[in-house]
């Protein structure tokens, strides 16, 4: 695969940054609720609050949609993220709640797109846990049993039965969900927010949040906001302030790349008739999806730990882009001559439980974070539920599933640079073993 003319972007490959930024906060303001962070999580919270007649201010350091919300792979998942076998082992009782939350979240986003007529190329294809080996297929079957027992809706089949490319052994289709252009989705949500009654300040980085006389005071470079409630929705960027719970999450940088346009007949020859997005069953997944521009967007495979704050603006590492290209050529041998056109990346937040987390610090500082790489569906849904909880004074059962009354979290394990490198090495070892087995079957 050719990687000699890749455009490396510090934002997203899906859309350009907006040019109509809202002015930064200049002076002091008061409101009932201040939302910090204008990703799909914070925007959904602010929108719901505005719809419900609350006086809400949203503060975003760059522009709404600047974070991972516009940069992700656009796979709207209908199942929880993380290692479902491990989650089932450690938190079996939580599985039905997590499954329900995941499916409700995907439906919520589908409804949002339809209600606001957001032109984000959404197609309800579902997504597949795709197996690259017989070993991974065994894992897919075990995961499917766990998901079904927890009330989720999935179908298991061979590549031909599911309509996924022939280079994969088979997989498990999440019936709910699909694929979209996440940049258009985020900027579409931004427009709905800007048209609402919410007061939105872009280019406004929050530097501190403190409690004062029963209220919360939020400090920005040119003004302070005094609010009855604050919602922290900064995802991977949480942890910049003393008020954020310790060990809430770990920031990780992940990368997506996009091929050049591919001739439609070559795509048709792959047997990818369902058009579903795919995630492999490695400990650190690879993802692959088609786009309406006849390209394939794919990525992840390696996680890079962010250290300290603020997190840097980054472009992907060339060596990782080459590694992703190598993996693509293995999964899609007939397209091994195709070039990569674009590469970009973003910061995600991972919790120690690999589950999304929401909670409250004291009475009036709320947080929700870390949909662990599955936030395209879950972040907007959880944001909406937090808004409802602030207005109604009680929590929906889906929010209760994630809720932490005591904001104390264990130190995440295996999330240091050495731990992540070890997980990556185990994946590569398994790939080599599976490759040798495949060759032995072919020639033996
Ligand atoms: C490359 C990549 C691929 C992914 N693929 C998928 C996928 O296919 N499916 C899926 O479900 N999920 C995927 N994800 C995860 C998903 O994108 C996230 O879970 C989701 O976007 C989180 O939304 P958010 O609003 O919480 O965070 P963000 O979109 O990161 O928003 C946080 C916002 O807070 C702002 N901010 C930070 N600090 C401050 C401050 N001090 N003051 C004011 N504002 C601040 C930031 O500028 C940012 O706009 C992927 C993520 C990445 C990076």
């Amino acid at each position: 695969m050719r990687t000699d003319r890749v455009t490396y972007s510090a934002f997203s490959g899906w859309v350009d940054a907006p040019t109509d930024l809202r002015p930064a906060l200049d002076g002091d303001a008061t409101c009932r609720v201040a939302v910090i962070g204008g990703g799909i999580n914070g925007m959904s919270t602010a929108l719901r609050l505005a719809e419900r007649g609350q006086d809400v201010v949203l503060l975003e350091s760059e522009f709404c949609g600047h974070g991972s919300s516009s940069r992700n792979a656009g796979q709207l998942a209908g199942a929880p993220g993380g290692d479902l076998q491990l989650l089932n082992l450690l938190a079996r009782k939580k599985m039905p709640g997590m499954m329900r939350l995941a499916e409700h979240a995907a439906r919520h986003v589908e409804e949002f797109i339809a209600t606001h007529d957001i032109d984000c190329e959404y197609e309800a294809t579902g997504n597949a846990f795709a197996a690259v080996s017989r070993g991974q297929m065994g894992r897919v079957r075990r995961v499917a049993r766990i998901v079904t027992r927890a009330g989720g809706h999935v179908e298991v089949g061979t590549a031909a039965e599911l309509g996924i490319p022939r280079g994969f052994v088979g997989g498990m289709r999440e019936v709910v969900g699909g694929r979209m252009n996440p940049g258009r989705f985020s900027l579409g949500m931004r427009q709905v927010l800007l048209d609402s009654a919410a007061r939105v300040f872009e280019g406004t980085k929050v530097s501190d949040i403190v409690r004062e006389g029963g209220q919360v005071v939020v400090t920005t470079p040119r003004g302070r906001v005094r609010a009855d409630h604050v919602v922290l929705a900064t995802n991977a960027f949480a942890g910049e302030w003393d008020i954020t719970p310790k060990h809430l999450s770990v920031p990780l940088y992940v990368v997506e790349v996009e091929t050049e346009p591919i001739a439609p007949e070559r795509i048709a020859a792959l047997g990818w008739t369902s058009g579903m997005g795919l995630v492999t069953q490695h400990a650190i997944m690879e993802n692959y999806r088609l786009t309406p521009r006849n390209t394939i967007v794919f990525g992840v495979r390696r996680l890079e730990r962010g250290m300290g704050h603020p997190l840097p603006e980054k472009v992907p590492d060339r060596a990782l882009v080459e590694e992703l290209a190598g993996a693509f050529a293995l999964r899609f041998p007939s397209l091994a001559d195709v070039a990569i056109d674009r590469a970009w990346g973003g910061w995600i937040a991972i919790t120690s439980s690999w589950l999304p987390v929401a909670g409250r610090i004291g009475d009036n500082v709320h947080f929700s974070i870390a949909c662990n790489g599955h936030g395209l569906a879950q972040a907007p849904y959880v944001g909406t539920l937090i808004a409802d909880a602030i207005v109604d004074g009680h929590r929906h059962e889906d929010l209760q599933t994630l809720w932490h009354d005591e904001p104390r979290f264990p130190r995440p394990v295996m999330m240091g640079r050495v731990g992540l490198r070890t997980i990556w090495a185990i994946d590569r070892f398994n790939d080599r073993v599976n490759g040798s087995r495949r060759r032995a079957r072919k020639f033996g």
Side-chain angles (χ1 to χ4, degrees):
M1 210 177 183
R2 288 190 8 239
T3 55
D4 52 344
R5 54 177 168 86
V6 180
T7 303
Y8 288 83
S9 167
F11 174 45
S12 168
W14 295 105
V15 278
D16 293 329
T19 50
D20 60 340
L21 294 207
R22 279 289 163 97
L25 179 71
D26 195 357
D28 291 348
T30 55
C31 62
R32 173 145 161 78
V33 188
V35 178
I36 324 285
I40 48 180
N41 184 3
M43 285 195 280
S44 298
T45 310
L47 247 181
R48 181 65 144 223
L49 287 163
E51 280 165 10
R52 298 202 59 186
Q54 303 289 306
D55 176 19
V56 56
V57 162
L58 183 140
L59 302 164
E60 160 57 47
S61 59
E62 304 289 334
F63 54 84
C64 292
H66 172 259
S68 56
S69 295
S70 291
R71 305 167 185 229
N72 61 68
Q75 294 180 218
L76 187 78
D83 181 337
L84 295 187
Q85 287 191 101
L86 193 64
L87 286 181
N88 187 53
L89 202 69
L90 301 178
R92 195 178 181 132
K93 277 203 196 133
K94 281 202 162 207
M95 288 305 290
M98 286 306 305
M99 258 333 293
R100 200 178 46 231
L101 168 85
E103 292 194 354
H104 286 172
R107 295 266 187 243
H108 169 84
V109 169
E110 287 176 337
E111 271 171 40
F112 184 88
I113 292 168
T115 305
H116 297 284
D117 197 18
I118 294 187
D119 177 16
C120 62
E121 300 164 347
Y122 180 67
E123 287 183 65
T125 52
N127 286 289
F129 283 38
V132 302
S133 64
R134 290 185 181 185
Q136 286 200 2
M137 195 59 208
R139 183 185 162 88
V140 163
R141 289 208 170 84
R142 289 191 295 279
V143 169
R145 281 195 291 275
I146 291 169
V147 169
T148 309
R149 207 168 43 227
H153 298 89
V154 293
E155 296 162 356
V156 176
T158 61
E161 284 164 350
L162 293 180
I164 65 175
R166 286 185 249 287
F168 295 84
V169 178
M172 174 188 94
R173 172 177 182 241
E174 304 165 11
V175 175
V176 183
R179 60 172 212 220
M180 68 166 86
N181 177 323
R184 286 190 181 201
F185 174 63
S186 296
L187 296 189
M189 186 182 281
R190 173 177 179 271
Q191 196 54 55
V192 178
L193 177 69
L194 297 186
D195 292 342
S196 78
R199 284 180 281 160
V200 178
F201 297 96
E202 297 185 308
T204 304
K205 184 172 164 64
V206 170
S207 55
D208 203 10
I209 301 167
V210 291
R211 283 219 187 72
E212 223 177 77
Q215 285 190 307
V216 189
V217 176
V218 178
T219 305
T220 78
R222 285 189 283 142
R224 303 198 317 160
V225 178
R226 183 176 283 276
D228 296 333
H229 293 268
V230 163
V231 181
L232 312 181
T234 54
N235 199 33
F237 305 89
E240 293 190 12
W241 317 295
D242 290 345
I243 204 162
T244 311
K246 257 202 161 39
H247 310 313
L248 175 59
S249 68
V250 164
L252 299 174
Y253 186 74
V254 295
V255 167
E256 295 289 321
V257 301
E258 181 173 13
T259 66
E260 64 185 340
I262 303 167
E265 58 278 13
R266 296 187 74 189
I267 292 181
L270 296 172
W272 202 343
T273 51
S274 65
M276 270 186 276
L278 313 172
V279 291
T280 65
Q281 295 304 291
H282 296 90
I284 303 175
M285 69 173 185
E286 294 162 18
N287 71 279
Y288 299 93
R289 58 151 295 183
L290 289 165
T291 77
R293 42 200 192 207
N294 286 329
T295 62
I296 297 176
V297 167
F298 61 103
V300 192
R301 197 170 153 108
R302 237 203 263 168
L303 300 170
E304 186 186 328
R305 170 77 190 255
M307 306 301 275
H309 285 285
L311 293 169
E313 285 283 352
K314 273 174 69 72
V315 294
D317 174 21
R318 276 168 203 274
L320 174 55
V321 171
E322 272 159 30
E323 182 183 330
L324 287 167
F328 181 94
L330 273 180
R331 315 283 174 237
F332 299 90
S334 65
L335 301 180
D337 60 319
V338 166
I340 294 182
D341 263 1
R342 273 187 268 258
W344 66 92
W347 292 102
I348 60 170
I350 301 281
T351 54
S352 51
S353 63
W354 286 78
L355 290 172
V357 160
R360 206 167 55 185
I361 310 154
D363 283 344
N364 50 5
V365 178
H366 311 255
F367 59 90
S368 78
I369 197 170
C371 298
N372 298 304
H374 272 51
L376 184 55
Q378 295 178 16
Y381 185 52
V382 174
T384 304
L385 296 181
I386 288 217
D388 284 343
I390 291 172
V391 180
D392 299 332
H394 62 84
R395 297 187 280 275
H396 187 282
E397 60 175 342
D398 288 344
L399 185 59
Q400 195 58 36
T401 303
L402 317 176
W403 197 256
H404 283 247
D405 271 320
E406 282 293 314
R408 289 209 190 88
F409 301 94
R411 188 184 287 278
V413 284
M414 295 301 280
M415 289 292 158
R417 287 188 169 153
V418 176
L420 293 171
R421 186 80 193 167
T422 307
I423 300 174
W424 173 87
I426 294 170
D427 276 340
R428 300 298 73 80
F429 174 78
N430 286 333
D431 275 349
R432 270 200 301 281
V433 170
N434 291 324
S436 320
R437 286 201 185 124
R438 248 194 324 271
R439 279 191 295 280
R441 273 199 303 276
K442 199 164 162 192
F443 300 113

